[in-house]
Amino acid sequence: MWQRVGGKHHLDGTGLAILRELTIWRDLEAKRRDKPRRNILKDEPLVEIAKRKPRSAGGIGDLRAMPPNSGERILNELYQCVQRGLAVPRSKCPRIDSTPALDEQGSALLELFAAVVKVRSMETDLPPSLLAPSEDLRQLAGTRTNPDPRNPLFQGWREELIGTWLRACVEGRLAVSWDAKRGQIRLHLTDRKSTRLNSSHSSVSRMPSSA
């Protein structure tokens, strides 16, 4: 939701974290009141709150972009959003995707990633879109020479289930073969210093139920 807000490009990471909390609040408030989101609060005041990072509910009410007579409840809830955004560690703050357009090699690599994800999807019994969102795959293809460790593919349960395999792919340590006996495609992690192969079947695990 926050990605669609205009004016966000001038915000720092903490500002984007605050904006994310504000857009979640606006969406819930719109559903509660059965009104369009922009009828609850337009983008401009959300961006100003995220930029100014007011230190009180009253400080939010004093912002020029805020509608007059917003009400104490609204101001308090908006201030809670600011506090939640400020509490997000800098390393986990959202960021605006600045991945350049993919060249021919990047597009081909993206197709290879999709194949790897498909195989791991069958092995883990998880939907490909949950295992590796397309935007995260595209970002990895665009930054393949220097992958961003903050990419969600390398965080939490995804690191084990798919991130390890995609990292090996960009490092030239992934082998793909057809297992005639099992009648299925197999992925292998290779060690460049030896001929040892590690089959994906030896590390299949499930996503934690709390994810």
Side-chain angles (χ1 to χ4, degrees):
M1 291 177 286
W2 66 269
Q3 295 93 332
R4 300 178 181 177
V5 174
K8 63 182 179 296
H9 294 277
H10 299 294
L11 299 176
D12 58 15
T14 300
L16 291 175
I18 294 173
L19 181 64
R20 179 173 60 186
E21 294 296 328
L22 291 169
T23 55
I24 291 173
W25 171 85
R26 182 174 66 175
D27 187 63
L28 294 175
E29 184 71 7
K31 291 178 180 177
R32 187 183 72 82
R33 295 165 59 178
D34 193 24
K35 290 185 176 181
R37 288 191 292 267
R38 292 184 65 83
N39 284 9
I40 301 300
L41 203 59
K42 297 184 183 298
D43 287 353
E44 184 181 357
L46 294 186
V47 172
E48 186 171 1
I49 293 170
K51 181 179 180 180
R52 303 295 181 186
K53 307 176 181 62
R55 298 185 178 183
S56 67
I60 293 177
D62 292 337
L63 294 175
R64 184 165 48 186
M66 281 296 295
N69 303 319
S70 295
E72 184 177 355
R73 179 185 70 84
I74 297 296
L75 294 178
N76 284 331
E77 291 181 1
L78 292 174
Y79 179 58
Q80 290 173 13
C81 292
V82 173
Q83 291 181 305
R84 288 195 296 271
L86 290 172
V88 176
R90 187 175 297 274
S91 62
K92 295 186 180 300
C93 286
R95 62 190 185 282
I96 297 174
D97 184 17
S98 57
T99 303
L102 295 179
D103 57 15
E104 186 175 8
Q105 290 295 319
S107 297
L109 184 59
L110 186 59
E111 293 183 17
L112 179 57
F113 288 163
V116 172
V117 171
K118 180 63 175 178
V119 174
R120 291 296 288 158
S121 172
M122 292 186 291
E123 292 176 350
T124 60
D125 197 27
L126 290 174
S129 59
L130 176 61
L131 191 59
S134 59
E135 282 302 309
D136 297 335
L137 289 174
R138 186 183 182 284
Q139 183 194 48
L140 179 57
T143 59
R144 58 190 179 275
T145 57
N146 186 27
D148 187 348
R150 296 174 299 176
N151 189 310
L153 296 169
F154 304 134
Q155 305 294 325
W157 58 269
R158 286 192 176 92
E159 164 68 16
E160 178 185 357
L161 296 186
I162 189 62
T164 297
W165 306 92
L166 293 173
R167 182 182 289 109
C169 186
V170 297
E171 292 176 353
R173 298 185 296 103
L174 184 69
V176 184
S177 66
W178 171 254
D179 188 330
K181 292 183 178 180
R182 298 186 183 216
Q184 62 189 57
I185 298 173
R186 296 182 67 182
L187 303 176
H188 308 272
L189 295 179
T190 67
D191 187 339
R192 285 179 171 177
K193 296 181 180 180
S194 71
T195 58
R196 178 171 55 86
L197 297 179
N198 296 321
S199 170
S200 59
H201 293 286
S202 65
S203 61
V204 174
S205 58
R206 298 280 181 174
M207 177 183 69
S209 59
S210 59

mmCIF file of all heavy atoms in Angstrom, residues 62-103:
data_model
loop_
_atom_site.group_PDB
_atom_site.id
_atom_site.type_symbol
_atom_site.label_atom_id
_atom_site.label_comp_id
_atom_site.label_asym_id
_atom_site.label_seq_id
_atom_site.Cartn_x
_atom_site.Cartn_y
_atom_site.Cartn_z
ATOM 1 N N ASP A 62 -0.945 19.892 14.286
ATOM 2 C CA ASP A 62 -0.443 21.213 13.907
ATOM 3 C C ASP A 62 0.136 21.245 12.498
ATOM 4 O O ASP A 62 0.435 22.333 11.984
ATOM 5 C CB ASP A 62 0.641 21.663 14.889
ATOM 6 C CG ASP A 62 0.079 21.954 16.274
ATOM 7 O OD1 ASP A 62 -1.129 22.232 16.375
ATOM 8 O OD2 ASP A 62 0.850 21.881 17.253
ATOM 9 N N LEU A 63 0.312 20.087 11.875
ATOM 10 C CA LEU A 63 0.884 20.060 10.538
ATOM 11 C C LEU A 63 -0.059 20.733 9.539
ATOM 12 O O LEU A 63 -1.270 20.551 9.590
ATOM 13 C CB LEU A 63 1.168 18.621 10.111
ATOM 14 C CG LEU A 63 2.241 17.878 10.908
ATOM 15 C CD1 LEU A 63 2.338 16.426 10.446
ATOM 16 C CD2 LEU A 63 3.591 18.574 10.782
ATOM 17 N N ARG A 64 0.522 21.472 8.617
ATOM 18 C CA ARG A 64 -0.267 22.250 7.664
ATOM 19 C C ARG A 64 -1.134 21.365 6.773
ATOM 20 O O ARG A 64 -2.241 21.761 6.386
ATOM 21 C CB ARG A 64 0.670 23.103 6.813
ATOM 22 C CG ARG A 64 -0.035 24.027 5.851
ATOM 23 C CD ARG A 64 0.918 25.075 5.325
ATOM 24 N NE ARG A 64 2.169 24.489 4.866
ATOM 25 C CZ ARG A 64 3.204 25.209 4.467
ATOM 26 N NH1 ARG A 64 3.148 26.527 4.493
ATOM 27 N NH2 ARG A 64 4.309 24.614 4.042
ATOM 28 N N ALA A 65 -0.640 20.156 6.445
ATOM 29 C CA ALA A 65 -1.385 19.283 5.527
ATOM 30 C C ALA A 65 -2.541 18.556 6.197
ATOM 31 O O ALA A 65 -3.393 17.993 5.504
ATOM 32 C CB ALA A 65 -0.423 18.259 4.899
ATOM 33 N N MET A 66 -2.570 18.562 7.536
ATOM 34 C CA MET A 66 -3.626 17.832 8.234
ATOM 35 C C MET A 66 -4.964 18.568 8.145
ATOM 36 O O MET A 66 -5.018 19.790 8.283
ATOM 37 C CB MET A 66 -3.263 17.645 9.705
ATOM 38 C CG MET A 66 -2.275 16.525 9.959
ATOM 39 S SD MET A 66 -2.938 14.894 9.523
ATOM 40 C CE MET A 66 -4.287 14.721 10.697
ATOM 41 N N PRO A 67 -6.042 17.818 7.897
ATOM 42 C CA PRO A 67 -7.374 18.445 7.873
ATOM 43 C C PRO A 67 -7.699 19.028 9.249
ATOM 44 O O PRO A 67 -7.295 18.459 10.276
ATOM 45 C CB PRO A 67 -8.314 17.273 7.546
ATOM 46 C CG PRO A 67 -7.434 16.218 6.967
ATOM 47 C CD PRO A 67 -6.105 16.379 7.624
ATOM 48 N N PRO A 68 -8.387 20.152 9.314
ATOM 49 C CA PRO A 68 -8.754 20.739 10.613
ATOM 50 C C PRO A 68 -9.755 19.849 11.339
ATOM 51 O O PRO A 68 -10.511 19.113 10.725
ATOM 52 C CB PRO A 68 -9.370 22.088 10.229
ATOM 53 C CG PRO A 68 -9.864 21.890 8.821
ATOM 54 C CD PRO A 68 -8.874 20.966 8.177
ATOM 55 N N ASN A 69 -9.724 19.921 12.650
ATOM 56 C CA ASN A 69 -10.663 19.164 13.474
ATOM 57 C C ASN A 69 -10.601 17.659 13.175
ATOM 58 O O ASN A 69 -11.638 17.006 13.002
ATOM 59 C CB ASN A 69 -12.094 19.681 13.268
ATOM 60 C CG ASN A 69 -12.220 21.167 13.561
ATOM 61 O OD1 ASN A 69 -11.641 21.666 14.531
ATOM 62 N ND2 ASN A 69 -12.966 21.876 12.722
ATOM 63 N N SER A 70 -9.392 17.110 13.132
ATOM 64 C CA SER A 70 -9.245 15.681 12.843
ATOM 65 C C SER A 70 -9.754 14.806 13.983
ATOM 66 O O SER A 70 -10.120 13.651 13.766
ATOM 67 C CB SER A 70 -7.768 15.358 12.563
ATOM 68 O OG SER A 70 -7.336 15.996 11.391
ATOM 69 N N GLY A 71 -9.755 15.340 15.177
ATOM 70 C CA GLY A 71 -10.264 14.579 16.303
ATOM 71 C C GLY A 71 -9.156 13.921 17.098
ATOM 72 O O GLY A 71 -8.137 13.477 16.544
ATOM 73 N N GLU A 72 -9.367 13.857 18.403
ATOM 74 C CA GLU A 72 -8.333 13.327 19.307
ATOM 75 C C GLU A 72 -8.020 11.856 19.020
ATOM 76 O O GLU A 72 -6.867 11.448 19.040
ATOM 77 C CB GLU A 72 -8.788 13.496 20.755
ATOM 78 C CG GLU A 72 -7.733 13.059 21.768
ATOM 79 C CD GLU A 72 -8.176 13.310 23.202
ATOM 80 O OE1 GLU A 72 -9.260 13.916 23.391
ATOM 81 O OE2 GLU A 72 -7.452 12.894 24.120
ATOM 82 N N ARG A 73 -9.044 11.060 18.748
ATOM 83 C CA ARG A 73 -8.807 9.640 18.491
ATOM 84 C C ARG A 73 -7.924 9.445 17.268
ATOM 85 O O ARG A 73 -6.954 8.666 17.301
ATOM 86 C CB ARG A 73 -10.135 8.899 18.273
ATOM 87 C CG ARG A 73 -9.944 7.399 17.969
ATOM 88 C CD ARG A 73 -11.255 6.711 17.648
ATOM 89 N NE ARG A 73 -11.793 7.120 16.355
ATOM 90 C CZ ARG A 73 -11.425 6.576 15.197
ATOM 91 N NH1 ARG A 73 -10.489 5.621 15.163
ATOM 92 N NH2 ARG A 73 -11.972 6.986 14.068
ATOM 93 N N ILE A 74 -8.237 10.138 16.190
ATOM 94 C CA ILE A 74 -7.466 10.016 14.956
ATOM 95 C C ILE A 74 -6.014 10.433 15.185
ATOM 96 O O ILE A 74 -5.075 9.736 14.777
ATOM 97 C CB ILE A 74 -8.088 10.865 13.836
ATOM 98 C CG1 ILE A 74 -9.488 10.367 13.489
ATOM 99 C CG2 ILE A 74 -7.185 10.874 12.602
ATOM 100 C CD1 ILE A 74 -9.525 8.970 12.932
ATOM 101 N N LEU A 75 -5.820 11.565 15.860
ATOM 102 C CA LEU A 75 -4.465 12.065 16.089
ATOM 103 C C LEU A 75 -3.658 11.093 16.952
ATOM 104 O O LEU A 75 -2.471 10.860 16.702
ATOM 105 C CB LEU A 75 -4.517 13.443 16.744
ATOM 106 C CG LEU A 75 -5.107 14.569 15.885
ATOM 107 C CD1 LEU A 75 -5.154 15.872 16.670
ATOM 108 C CD2 LEU A 75 -4.305 14.753 14.599
ATOM 109 N N ASN A 76 -4.298 10.528 17.956
ATOM 110 C CA ASN A 76 -3.603 9.569 18.814
ATOM 111 C C ASN A 76 -3.217 8.309 18.046
ATOM 112 O O ASN A 76 -2.118 7.771 18.223
ATOM 113 C CB ASN A 76 -4.479 9.189 20.016
ATOM 114 C CG ASN A 76 -4.520 10.282 21.062
ATOM 115 O OD1 ASN A 76 -3.568 11.059 21.203
ATOM 116 N ND2 ASN A 76 -5.612 10.361 21.807
ATOM 117 N N GLU A 77 -4.103 7.832 17.192
ATOM 118 C CA GLU A 77 -3.808 6.628 16.420
ATOM 119 C C GLU A 77 -2.705 6.890 15.395
ATOM 120 O O GLU A 77 -1.850 6.029 15.145
ATOM 121 C CB GLU A 77 -5.079 6.120 15.739
ATOM 122 C CG GLU A 77 -6.085 5.559 16.738
ATOM 123 C CD GLU A 77 -7.342 5.024 16.083
ATOM 124 O OE1 GLU A 77 -7.440 5.077 14.833
ATOM 125 O OE2 GLU A 77 -8.233 4.549 16.819
ATOM 126 N N LEU A 78 -2.712 8.077 14.813
ATOM 127 C CA LEU A 78 -1.648 8.435 13.875
ATOM 128 C C LEU A 78 -0.308 8.526 14.596
ATOM 129 O O LEU A 78 0.733 8.102 14.063
ATOM 130 C CB LEU A 78 -1.965 9.762 13.188
ATOM 131 C CG LEU A 78 -3.159 9.754 12.227
ATOM 132 C CD1 LEU A 78 -3.452 11.166 11.723
ATOM 133 C CD2 LEU A 78 -2.901 8.825 11.045
ATOM 134 N N TYR A 79 -0.318 9.067 15.811
ATOM 135 C CA TYR A 79 0.929 9.172 16.578
ATOM 136 C C TYR A 79 1.454 7.775 16.942
ATOM 137 O O TYR A 79 2.674 7.541 16.953
ATOM 138 C CB TYR A 79 0.709 9.999 17.843
ATOM 139 C CG TYR A 79 1.949 10.132 18.683
ATOM 140 C CD1 TYR A 79 3.112 10.696 18.139
ATOM 141 C CD2 TYR A 79 1.979 9.693 19.999
ATOM 142 C CE1 TYR A 79 4.269 10.808 18.897
ATOM 143 C CE2 TYR A 79 3.130 9.812 20.760
ATOM 144 C CZ TYR A 79 4.271 10.363 20.210
ATOM 145 O OH TYR A 79 5.414 10.468 20.958
ATOM 146 N N GLN A 80 0.551 6.841 17.226
ATOM 147 C CA GLN A 80 0.977 5.467 17.488
ATOM 148 C C GLN A 80 1.658 4.864 16.262
ATOM 149 O O GLN A 80 2.616 4.097 16.379
ATOM 150 C CB GLN A 80 -0.230 4.623 17.907
ATOM 151 C CG GLN A 80 -0.786 4.976 19.279
ATOM 152 C CD GLN A 80 -2.087 4.249 19.593
ATOM 153 O OE1 GLN A 80 -2.469 3.308 18.901
ATOM 154 N NE2 GLN A 80 -2.777 4.709 20.631
ATOM 155 N N CYS A 81 1.158 5.227 15.085
ATOM 156 C CA CYS A 81 1.797 4.767 13.842
ATOM 157 C C CYS A 81 3.226 5.306 13.750
ATOM 158 O O CYS A 81 4.147 4.586 13.349
ATOM 159 C CB CYS A 81 0.996 5.233 12.624
ATOM 160 S SG CYS A 81 -0.619 4.459 12.440
ATOM 161 N N VAL A 82 3.394 6.574 14.104
ATOM 162 C CA VAL A 82 4.726 7.181 14.074
ATOM 163 C C VAL A 82 5.662 6.442 15.031
ATOM 164 O O VAL A 82 6.813 6.130 14.680
ATOM 165 C CB VAL A 82 4.652 8.675 14.460
ATOM 166 C CG1 VAL A 82 6.057 9.269 14.597
ATOM 167 C CG2 VAL A 82 3.857 9.447 13.428
ATOM 168 N N GLN A 83 5.187 6.135 16.209
ATOM 169 C CA GLN A 83 6.018 5.439 17.189
ATOM 170 C C GLN A 83 6.411 4.045 16.709
ATOM 171 O O GLN A 83 7.560 3.619 16.893
ATOM 172 C CB GLN A 83 5.272 5.348 18.527
ATOM 173 C CG GLN A 83 5.101 6.695 19.223
ATOM 174 C CD GLN A 83 4.389 6.576 20.555
ATOM 175 O OE1 GLN A 83 3.282 6.040 20.637
ATOM 176 N NE2 GLN A 83 5.014 7.060 21.607
ATOM 177 N N ARG A 84 5.465 3.349 16.093
ATOM 178 C CA ARG A 84 5.792 2.013 15.571
ATOM 179 C C ARG A 84 6.830 2.106 14.458
ATOM 180 O O ARG A 84 7.738 1.277 14.378
ATOM 181 C CB ARG A 84 4.522 1.318 15.073
ATOM 182 C CG ARG A 84 3.583 0.849 16.186
ATOM 183 C CD ARG A 84 2.561 -0.138 15.665
ATOM 184 N NE ARG A 84 1.671 0.455 14.690
ATOM 185 C CZ ARG A 84 0.528 1.076 14.997
ATOM 186 N NH1 ARG A 84 0.150 1.188 16.264
ATOM 187 N NH2 ARG A 84 -0.248 1.578 14.047
ATOM 188 N N GLY A 85 6.690 3.110 13.611
ATOM 189 C CA GLY A 85 7.658 3.277 12.534
ATOM 190 C C GLY A 85 9.041 3.620 13.054
ATOM 191 O O GLY A 85 10.053 3.116 12.556
ATOM 192 N N LEU A 86 9.102 4.467 14.080
ATOM 193 C CA LEU A 86 10.384 4.850 14.667
ATOM 194 C C LEU A 86 11.070 3.659 15.339
ATOM 195 O O LEU A 86 12.296 3.635 15.456
ATOM 196 C CB LEU A 86 10.183 5.970 15.690
ATOM 197 C CG LEU A 86 9.807 7.345 15.131
ATOM 198 C CD1 LEU A 86 9.457 8.296 16.267
ATOM 199 C CD2 LEU A 86 10.948 7.919 14.302
ATOM 200 N N ALA A 87 10.285 2.686 15.779
ATOM 201 C CA ALA A 87 10.844 1.525 16.478
ATOM 202 C C ALA A 87 11.444 0.490 15.530
ATOM 203 O O ALA A 87 12.118 -0.438 15.986
ATOM 204 C CB ALA A 87 9.756 0.869 17.335
ATOM 205 N N VAL A 88 11.212 0.638 14.239
ATOM 206 C CA VAL A 88 11.741 -0.333 13.273
ATOM 207 C C VAL A 88 13.253 -0.119 13.121
ATOM 208 O O VAL A 88 13.694 0.994 12.845
ATOM 209 C CB VAL A 88 11.057 -0.167 11.900
ATOM 210 C CG1 VAL A 88 11.678 -1.112 10.876
ATOM 211 C CG2 VAL A 88 9.558 -0.424 12.019
ATOM 212 N N PRO A 89 14.077 -1.163 13.305
ATOM 213 C CA PRO A 89 15.529 -1.021 13.115
ATOM 214 C C PRO A 89 15.848 -0.536 11.708
ATOM 215 O O PRO A 89 15.156 -0.890 10.747
ATOM 216 C CB PRO A 89 16.054 -2.446 13.350
ATOM 217 C CG PRO A 89 14.997 -3.117 14.175
ATOM 218 C CD PRO A 89 13.698 -2.522 13.720
ATOM 219 N N ARG A 90 16.889 0.253 11.586
ATOM 220 C CA ARG A 90 17.242 0.833 10.295
ATOM 221 C C ARG A 90 17.452 -0.245 9.230
ATOM 222 O O ARG A 90 17.088 -0.064 8.065
ATOM 223 C CB ARG A 90 18.495 1.689 10.433
ATOM 224 C CG ARG A 90 18.854 2.470 9.182
ATOM 225 C CD ARG A 90 20.037 3.375 9.440
ATOM 226 N NE ARG A 90 19.719 4.366 10.458
ATOM 227 C CZ ARG A 90 19.127 5.523 10.209
ATOM 228 N NH1 ARG A 90 18.769 5.823 8.972
ATOM 229 N NH2 ARG A 90 18.889 6.382 11.174
ATOM 230 N N SER A 91 18.033 -1.381 9.657
ATOM 231 C CA SER A 91 18.317 -2.447 8.696
ATOM 232 C C SER A 91 17.060 -3.109 8.155
ATOM 233 O O SER A 91 17.096 -3.786 7.127
ATOM 234 C CB SER A 91 19.208 -3.512 9.345
ATOM 235 O OG SER A 91 18.557 -4.110 10.455
ATOM 236 N N LYS A 92 15.938 -2.937 8.871
ATOM 237 C CA LYS A 92 14.695 -3.570 8.455
ATOM 238 C C LYS A 92 13.689 -2.575 7.885
ATOM 239 O O LYS A 92 12.547 -2.930 7.597
ATOM 240 C CB LYS A 92 14.074 -4.326 9.633
ATOM 241 C CG LYS A 92 14.914 -5.497 10.118
ATOM 242 C CD LYS A 92 14.204 -6.300 11.182
ATOM 243 C CE LYS A 92 15.043 -7.472 11.653
ATOM 244 N NZ LYS A 92 15.350 -8.408 10.553
ATOM 245 N N CYS A 93 14.104 -1.324 7.733
ATOM 246 C CA CYS A 93 13.210 -0.316 7.169
ATOM 247 C C CYS A 93 12.959 -0.615 5.689
ATOM 248 O O CYS A 93 13.855 -1.104 4.991
ATOM 249 C CB CYS A 93 13.812 1.081 7.304
ATOM 250 S SG CYS A 93 13.757 1.750 8.987
ATOM 251 N N PRO A 94 11.773 -0.326 5.199
ATOM 252 C CA PRO A 94 11.497 -0.534 3.765
ATOM 253 C C PRO A 94 12.328 0.420 2.926
ATOM 254 O O PRO A 94 12.852 1.420 3.426
ATOM 255 C CB PRO A 94 10.004 -0.231 3.645
ATOM 256 C CG PRO A 94 9.697 0.673 4.799
ATOM 257 C CD PRO A 94 10.606 0.224 5.915
ATOM 258 N N ARG A 95 12.466 0.110 1.685
ATOM 259 C CA ARG A 95 13.216 0.960 0.781
ATOM 260 C C ARG A 95 12.525 0.973 -0.571
ATOM 261 O O ARG A 95 11.820 0.038 -0.929
ATOM 262 C CB ARG A 95 14.658 0.480 0.631
ATOM 263 C CG ARG A 95 14.783 -0.907 0.039
ATOM 264 C CD ARG A 95 16.220 -1.411 0.138
ATOM 265 N NE ARG A 95 16.377 -2.689 -0.522
ATOM 266 C CZ ARG A 95 16.013 -3.863 -0.023
ATOM 267 N NH1 ARG A 95 15.428 -3.907 1.166
ATOM 268 N NH2 ARG A 95 16.206 -4.978 -0.684
ATOM 269 N N ILE A 96 12.760 2.015 -1.309
ATOM 270 C CA ILE A 96 12.188 2.141 -2.645
ATOM 271 C C ILE A 96 13.071 1.389 -3.618
ATOM 272 O O ILE A 96 14.289 1.578 -3.644
ATOM 273 C CB ILE A 96 12.073 3.619 -3.046
ATOM 274 C CG1 ILE A 96 11.118 4.352 -2.091
ATOM 275 C CG2 ILE A 96 11.583 3.748 -4.484
ATOM 276 C CD1 ILE A 96 11.048 5.836 -2.313
ATOM 277 N N ASP A 97 12.471 0.518 -4.385
ATOM 278 C CA ASP A 97 13.225 -0.298 -5.329
ATOM 279 C C ASP A 97 13.831 0.577 -6.417
ATOM 280 O O ASP A 97 13.135 1.262 -7.147
ATOM 281 C CB ASP A 97 12.300 -1.355 -5.956
ATOM 282 C CG ASP A 97 13.054 -2.303 -6.881
ATOM 283 O OD1 ASP A 97 14.293 -2.352 -6.791
ATOM 284 O OD2 ASP A 97 12.392 -2.993 -7.676
ATOM 285 N N SER A 98 15.166 0.540 -6.471
ATOM 286 C CA SER A 98 15.863 1.305 -7.498
ATOM 287 C C SER A 98 16.576 0.381 -8.481
ATOM 288 O O SER A 98 17.547 0.771 -9.121
ATOM 289 C CB SER A 98 16.894 2.242 -6.852
ATOM 290 O OG SER A 98 17.820 1.513 -6.066
ATOM 291 N N THR A 99 16.089 -0.865 -8.570
ATOM 292 C CA THR A 99 16.706 -1.829 -9.470
ATOM 293 C C THR A 99 16.558 -1.368 -10.920
ATOM 294 O O THR A 99 15.456 -1.061 -11.360
ATOM 295 C CB THR A 99 16.041 -3.209 -9.309
ATOM 296 O OG1 THR A 99 16.143 -3.624 -7.950
ATOM 297 C CG2 THR A 99 16.730 -4.244 -10.193
ATOM 298 N N PRO A 100 17.647 -1.291 -11.661
ATOM 299 C CA PRO A 100 17.554 -0.842 -13.060
ATOM 300 C C PRO A 100 16.835 -1.871 -13.919
ATOM 301 O O PRO A 100 16.675 -3.031 -13.525
ATOM 302 C CB PRO A 100 19.027 -0.708 -13.469
ATOM 303 C CG PRO A 100 19.753 -1.668 -12.573
ATOM 304 C CD PRO A 100 19.023 -1.620 -11.269
ATOM 305 N N ALA A 101 16.422 -1.450 -15.106
ATOM 306 C CA ALA A 101 15.778 -2.378 -16.041
ATOM 307 C C ALA A 101 16.741 -3.500 -16.376
ATOM 308 O O ALA A 101 17.951 -3.301 -16.511
ATOM 309 C CB ALA A 101 15.369 -1.622 -17.301
ATOM 310 N N LEU A 102 16.213 -4.695 -16.498
ATOM 311 C CA LEU A 102 17.054 -5.858 -16.759
ATOM 312 C C LEU A 102 17.543 -5.864 -18.199
ATOM 313 O O LEU A 102 16.780 -5.588 -19.125
ATOM 314 C CB LEU A 102 16.268 -7.145 -16.475
ATOM 315 C CG LEU A 102 15.852 -7.391 -15.021
ATOM 316 C CD1 LEU A 102 15.070 -8.688 -14.923
ATOM 317 C CD2 LEU A 102 17.051 -7.409 -14.099
ATOM 318 N N ASP A 103 18.815 -6.188 -18.373
ATOM 319 C CA ASP A 103 19.342 -6.373 -19.716
ATOM 320 C C ASP A 103 19.028 -7.798 -20.168
ATOM 321 O O ASP A 103 18.331 -8.549 -19.483
ATOM 322 C CB ASP A 103 20.838 -6.096 -19.761
ATOM 323 C CG ASP A 103 21.637 -6.963 -18.783
ATOM 324 O OD1 ASP A 103 21.085 -7.968 -18.271
ATOM 325 O OD2 ASP A 103 22.817 -6.644 -18.536
#
